[in-house]
Amino acid sequence: MSDVSLADLRIIFPFTFKNFDKITTMTRYTSKQKEVLCFEEIDIVTEELRRAVQNTMRSGTSTQICHTYRLTDNSRSFFGLPRRKEDKVKLFTRTKEEYDFFIDDVMFHFFDTGVGYLVFEIQPKNVSFDKLAQFNYFISEVKSSENIIKFEEKKDKDTVEKKEVLLLDLVKNLTKNIEEATDFDNSKGFHYSENRPMIYAHYFVDKDAESIENIAKNLALNYKDTYKVNRENIKSYAPFENSKWYFSSNVAVNITSKTDDEKTNEFMTTNFINKISTIYYLLFVLAVNQKYSMQKYLDELSITDRINTDYEGLEKQLDYLNEQKDICLVFKYKNMFSQPSSVTQINKYYECLIDVMGIDKLEKYLDSKIELMIKIIDGILTKKNQLDSLKKEKKQIMRNTLLIFLTSVLTFASLYDTALKFIENINVKVGIVANIIIFFILLVCCLIIPSIFNIDKNVSRIKEINKLLAKSSKMSGEEKWKD
């Protein structure tokens, strides 16, 4: 007899997407040629949560941020899953171990941030408690092609077909109609080699507290038992004496143990298990979405890490950053909240999720990165405007210098001609010497002195501008930003 009475394991695959409309209308034909939907939209019905929080996951509400779709029962085999929920499945690991389980359900969560989650609801069967960490580890290690799922499918009365499939292949089959769907491994498609799927689980066990603690630390990190995990590194919260949550940045697992009180056992296997699959699960999904949506925004912001050198490019980057800033503000307004319930243990659980996933730190980092990039680019634009003004001033000074010189020449010529005519009109004869003296007096007063004064003044300003331009070029380090 297994020491695990109830087991509910959910493997959650985060991904980004552009559009999921095809999922909502995708159909297939049954053996009787009846057209049926492959997915149906559902609501996660919850109690004991504030209405505003409930409505984020409820269809038809003005504050809805997520659409949830469940794979219909008659479409399971169409995507390569066992035809019925009660069809037993075997996991053969790369270490030659075997585990039995059932795939109860498959769901999608599509958030309006462009982040989605594919969820496999799995029920381990006859897996002892001390083997759960092994099972969780290998079934979520989808990057390995040696962890194989096998099951039998009855084709007709006398024919049974043996099937083998990788969980990652099931993921790809289910997501192939979602536009531009890709995981968070920074590469196209689905790999989950860097960012593994997340784990949400509940187990009702017949074990002593010390045994639970020893296994729970590996369950909380989704490590197999060969990892010697330090128990002190695991965050935990015990709302009840016989029920405890264990957390890491990718896992939330509840382990509830049997007691000598049958009423307590009954509550834990009925009312409480229902809350685990609705209230606590919904909050987990909301917290996970906060984490991955902000990660998506940070990934998108990485395009601004290389600063443009041209003015138009900088203005576009600044516009993009301001747009992202507005998007993030709307995201936080719609997706982030505190005290989701009036029930203390629910709020404590949510606080643990926010803490262990580093939501507050991610939020601060996202805000600071946007503000810093805006400040940097705005500063560069201001500097470029100043430099452009200096360059325009330099050109204007050079034009003015030439203009002043030409004006002085024309003024000198005009005054010299006027002076000679004036002397001629008063019947005074001017000899060559006097003529030369007049010429040089006017040359010095009307051309040389003004020109020297203005040219010297302009040359000094040009030198000053050149120094400012050279200094600004060194300070801005423009070469660093060039492609």
Side-chain angles (χ1 to χ4, degrees), residues 2-15:
S2 174
D3 50 7
V4 182
S5 302
L6 289 173
D8 180 11
L9 169 64
R10 303 188 186 193
I11 305 176
I12 302 170
F13 292 84
F15 61 92

Side-chain angles (χ1 to χ4, degrees), residues 386-402:
Q386 292 172 347
L387 294 177
D388 288 345
S389 296
L390 287 172
K391 290 173 183 177
K392 287 179 181 178
E393 183 185 353
K394 180 181 176 180
K395 289 180 180 179
Q396 189 61 45
I397 289 172
M398 295 176 73
R399 285 195 294 267
N400 290 344
T401 300
L402 180 62

